[in-house]
Each structure stands twice: as structure tokens, then as C-alpha cells.
Amino acid sequence: EPEVTQTPSHQVTQMGQEVILRCVPISNHLYFYWYRQILGQKVEFLVSFYNNEISEKSEIFDDQFSVERPDGSNFTLKIRSTKLEDSAMYFCASTTGGNVGYTFGSGTRLTVV
Amino acid sequence: LAKTTQPISMDSYEGQEVNITCSHNNIATNDYITWYQQFPSQGPRFIIQGYKTKVTNEVASLFIPADRKSSTLSLPRVSLSDTAVYYCLVGSYNQGGKLIFGQGTELSVKP
């Protein structure tokens, strides 16, 4: 069964540092997403990406966040200057569109210290 | 997006059938009903999706009454490994719309 792959599985970073979370979506999928889940809380939508541009973003996705699909296979989330409150699990997801299920990766646990 | 309401938690025992009901009174004509499962420290996993009546796959069944204002996820003969959070989502995802997760139902299966 095809998978969404995320790396690294765990990242620890100092406050104020930049981090890049990486994802390889399923190859024939067209829509890509980042979600986050703070410990004990809901899964929250961050951003959706289609046709090489952001299609929607949440209030959480401010100027400190950016996404990129640099080479047609990787999909990255960059946080420019991390804050303590950015500590969370970050999930990448993808889908073909057409009212079918979305496939999520296993996540990257980001810890900002 | 239609608001959903589901129980916060449920307990069951191994081998029992578990039914989790979700209310979605303001579901729109184009909306589908989708259920996801999430284990601790893992991403949500798609279980089943339906529009009306009954849908069954190798994992679960989804029952949707004619008015579509609620739906029931049925897990046959649960095991300890079915302990997870189950999310009911309602929306039209034909063009890749975002998924909005609520708190979900925390199912605990006991031996």
C-alpha cells in the first residue's frame, strides 16, 4: 500500500532556529497538506497546496511558515524562527481529490527548547 | 463545513461490536461522511467513507439513514488493537478541501 513518508521522525531545535520538515507524498496524488497536533489536542489544519501553489491556509500559518514542492516529489514545511509553542506533531497528507480518503504520514515530532 | 457531534469516549471489551454515532444535522447535499482512526503519536488513517445507506469494507461498516443527519460507524468484534481515537468528518472533498477534525471519540477496548 502506498505511503506518505515524513522525515525526520523527531526533531529537537532551539527557539529561534529554522526547521524544515520533509514529506514525500504518494506519487499520483495532486493535493498536499500539512497539519499539526499539539499534545493532547485536536489535529489542526495548517495549509493545503495544489498545482504548485497554496490553495488555503489557516490562521496558524503565519509569515513564519512556508511550504514548497521543489522537485515534484518532496513537499516541505519550513518554520523560519521556531517558538516554544510550535512544539507539536506535524503531519503531512495527500490525496488525489474526488471524495476519496486522505493519506497521512506518520508525522514529525518537533520539540522546541 | 457541517459541524459534527460524537461521544467523547467509549469503552468496550474484546470481541464485542462497537457502534459510534455521529450527528451532523446541517450536512449539505454534496457532503460525504468520512471516518478516520488515530493511534497515539501516529497520523490519522482513513477507515471508511459514504454518502448514503450502508457502506462496508474489510475494516468497518458505515450506516447512514435516509435523512443523512447522523451516521454510525460499526466495528465488528473489536480487539485491543482497535483502541484509538475515531473521528467523524463531513464535507465535500471533490477538489481537495481541507479536513476539519473535532475531538473525536476515544475508544478503549479492554480484555
Side-chain angles (χ1 to χ4, degrees):
Chain A
E1 187 176 328
E3 292 183 342
V4 172
T5 305
Q6 289 188 243
T7 54
S9 57
H10 191 183
Q11 176 138 10
V12 181
T13 189
Q14 297 240 336
M15 191 169 52
Q17 294 296 304
E18 173 184 286
V19 294
I20 298 176
L21 309 183
R22 303 181 191 280
C23 169
V24 179
I26 294 173
S27 59
N28 66 334
H29 285 188
L30 302 175
Y31 299 85
F32 314 107
Y33 311 82
W34 284 100
Y35 287 78
R36 80 172 186 189
Q37 187 173 32
I38 295 170
L39 187 63
Q41 297 188 23
K42 297 189 297 186
V43 177
E44 300 175 288
F45 167 77
L46 293 179
V47 65
S48 57
F49 192 88
Y50 171 73
N51 202 25
N52 283 319
E53 60 182 24
I54 291 174
S55 45
E56 188 172 359
K57 57 184 180 180
S58 71
E59 291 179 354
I60 303 167
F61 195 89
D62 61 22
D63 291 345
Q64 292 301 310
F65 291 87
S66 63
V67 289
E68 196 177 35
R69 189 161 159 79
D71 56 11
S73 62
N74 293 285
F75 180 50
T76 61
L77 174 70
K78 182 193 289 186
I79 309 175
R80 288 190 184 82
S81 178
T82 49
K83 307 183 184 78
L84 294 175
E85 54 264 37
D86 293 327
S87 294
M89 284 287 286
Y90 287 79
F91 297 111
C92 173
S94 67
T95 186
T96 56
N99 277 314
V100 297
Y102 291 34
T103 304
F104 283 76
S106 297
T108 294
R109 180 177 299 282
L110 177 65
T111 304
V112 183
V113 296
Chain B
L1 293 168
K3 179 178 163 58
T4 60
T5 303
Q6 52 183 122
I8 293 173
S9 64
M10 292 182 70
D11 290 331
S12 182
Y13 290 93
E14 280 191 294
Q16 289 188 332
E17 178 183 79
V18 171
N19 296 308
I20 306 174
T21 296
C22 178
S23 297
H24 28 81
N25 290 320
N26 59 340
I27 189 169
T29 303
N30 295 332
D31 287 346
Y32 280 69
I33 299 151
T34 313
W35 287 80
Y36 284 80
Q37 174 193 56
Q38 187 182 27
F39 298 113
S41 298
Q42 293 189 29
R45 183 177 78 103
F46 171 80
I47 301 175
I48 198 166
Q49 180 175 263
Y51 184 80
K52 61 180 179 180
T53 62
K54 176 184 173 183
V55 180
T56 297
N57 62 23
E58 64 278 5
V59 176
S61 294
L62 178 59
F63 299 92
I64 305 168
D67 67 5
R68 304 200 327 123
K69 292 184 185 299
S70 67
S71 59
T72 299
L73 175 73
S74 181
L75 304 172
R77 295 182 300 282
V78 293
S79 63
L80 297 177
S81 61
D82 292 316
T83 295
V85 179
Y86 292 82
Y87 299 97
C88 165
L89 285 77
V90 172
S92 177
Y93 308 114
N94 192 44
Q95 295 185 21
K98 64 187 177 192
L99 301 177
I100 300 296
F101 289 85
Q103 294 290 352
T105 297
E106 189 168 358
L107 173 65
S108 177
V109 180
K110 301 173 183 176

